[in-house]
């Protein structure tokens, strides 16, 4: 990275969205400063840099903010395109990768959140929905080592942070991801062999403790 480049990440360890950005930065071998946010007392910098959503992650590159995890990942991939391409170069395959990243965004976090934040029938319905999503994702993965083929890429990066939530989903949803989705677990283990991934993900127990804390607040 050139001397003048400054990268600051408004971060939060258990956040799957922030983990995406940490992985992308690590894939590109970029040095950056991580600033952990307290979401119950958001910093004035976060409010200034992301006034629309007021959410992390925000990447501040030479003083200019980029918001929304997958927008940030695409920005990183475009600016530092000399190393570890994340999106494929072929337009059709790019569209395909964006489709699946969008599917993950629309399904996994909202349904997963519904599972851990609710009780009774709502929880059971979201558990069924989440299992259905994992089935669809496992079908898309097929026998490929990674979602895009032979190399770790954009779709893998969008999904792998949710591996940190598997223990929470299993414990609160009372099902076994390993038993029901062995291919997905093998894929996750393969991703974790990469240092860019293993060093960026939050420990599953840590996420579980965080979620239990949020559940208490929800009452
Ligand atoms: N769509 C956003 C992205 O992909 O970056 C989601 C980011 C998000 O939900 N961030 C959460 C947050 O900042 C932390 S995991 N929540 C604080 C709030 O909504 O007030």
């Amino acid at each position: 990275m050139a001397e003048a480049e400054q990268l600051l990440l408004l971060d939060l360890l258990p956040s799957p969205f922030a983990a995406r950005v940490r992985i992308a930065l690590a894939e590109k071998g970029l040095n950056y400063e991580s600033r952990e946010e307290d979401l119950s007392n958001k910093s004035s910098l976060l409010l200034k840099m992301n006034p629309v959503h007021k959410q992390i992650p925000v990447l501040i590159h030479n003083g200019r903010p980029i918001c929304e995890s997958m927008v940030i990942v695409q920005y990183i991939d475009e600016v530092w395109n000399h190393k570890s391409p994340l999106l494929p170069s072929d337009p059709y395959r790019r569209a395909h990768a964006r489709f699946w990243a969008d599917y993950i965004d629309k399904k996994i976090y909202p349904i997963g959140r519904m599972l851990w934040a609710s009780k009774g029938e709502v929880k059971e319905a979201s558990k069924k929905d989440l299992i259905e999503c994992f089935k669809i994702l496992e079908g898309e993965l097929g026998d490929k080592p990674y979602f895009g083929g032979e190399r770790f890429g954009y779709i893998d990066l969008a999904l792998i942070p949710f591996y940190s939530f598997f223990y929470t989903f299993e414990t609160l949803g009372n099902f076994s991801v390993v038993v029901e989705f062995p291919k997905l677990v093998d894929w996750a283990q393969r991703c974790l062999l990469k240092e860019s991934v293993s060093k960026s993900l939050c420990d599953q127990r840590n996420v579980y403790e965080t979620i239990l804390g949020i559940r208490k607040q929800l009452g």
Side-chain angles (χ1 to χ4, degrees):
M1 193 163 66
E3 279 292 310
E5 302 270 24
Q6 277 189 346
L7 284 169
L8 170 62
L9 176 63
L10 304 186
D11 206 352
L12 186 65
L13 183 62
S15 165
F17 305 106
R20 288 170 168 173
V21 179
R22 295 194 293 267
I23 296 170
L25 291 165
E27 277 289 303
K28 302 288 182 179
L30 297 167
N31 293 322
Y32 64 98
E33 183 192 338
S34 160
R35 206 170 287 174
E36 197 79 356
E37 277 288 328
D38 172 1
L39 294 180
S40 63
N41 181 23
K42 294 174 183 172
S43 71
S44 52
L45 185 62
L46 173 60
L47 300 177
K48 183 173 160 208
M49 293 292 159
N50 190 356
V52 175
H53 296 302
K54 305 175 178 66
Q55 291 183 325
I56 59 94
V58 179
L59 182 70
I60 307 172
H61 181 202
N62 294 336
R64 297 193 303 177
I66 308 107
C67 303
E68 287 294 312
S69 59
M70 293 315 284
V71 174
I72 302 172
V73 169
Q74 286 190 45
Y75 176 81
I76 293 171
D77 202 31
E78 284 172 15
V79 175
W80 291 278
N81 59 3
H82 64 287
K83 192 182 169 199
S84 308
L86 296 167
L87 271 160
S89 53
D90 172 67
Y92 183 78
R93 292 188 55 221
R94 282 168 91 87
H96 181 85
R98 289 192 180 113
F99 170 86
W100 282 106
D102 183 59
Y103 176 85
I104 292 161
D105 263 355
K106 286 190 174 126
K107 300 283 185 177
I108 303 297
Y109 187 75
I111 296 174
R113 188 179 197 286
M114 192 64 91
L115 188 153
W116 58 254
S118 65
K119 293 183 184 137
E121 278 178 22
V122 179
K123 182 172 139 181
E124 283 312 303
S126 38
K127 170 182 162 180
K128 263 174 90 181
D129 288 349
L130 189 65
I131 287 178
E132 185 56 29
C133 290
F134 281 150
K135 253 189 216 149
I136 289 173
L137 284 166
E138 209 178 54
E140 169 58 22
L141 177 65
D143 292 321
K144 305 189 292 288
Y146 297 104
F147 277 89
E150 296 301 313
R151 297 185 58 250
F152 179 85
Y154 192 73
I155 309 172
D156 306 298
L157 186 148
L159 183 61
I160 193 62
F162 293 101
Y163 177 75
S164 300
F165 286 69
F166 278 14
Y167 179 75
T168 302
F169 294 152
E170 289 184 310
T171 311
L172 299 177
N174 197 23
F175 70 100
S176 166
V177 182
V178 184
V179 171
E180 304 216 24
F181 303 104
K183 276 188 186 172
L184 214 51
V185 172
D186 282 352
W187 160 84
Q189 296 300 339
R190 203 170 299 124
C191 293
L192 279 162
L193 292 176
K194 294 176 74 67
E195 211 177 85
S196 60
V197 174
S198 59
K199 287 201 165 159
S200 303
L201 291 199
C202 185
D203 175 70
Q204 295 199 352
R205 298 290 171 134
N206 184 333
V207 168
Y208 181 62
E209 294 302 325
T210 306
I211 299 287
L212 289 187
I214 300 174
R215 270 164 59 100
K216 258 195 203 141
Q217 283 170 18
L218 293 174

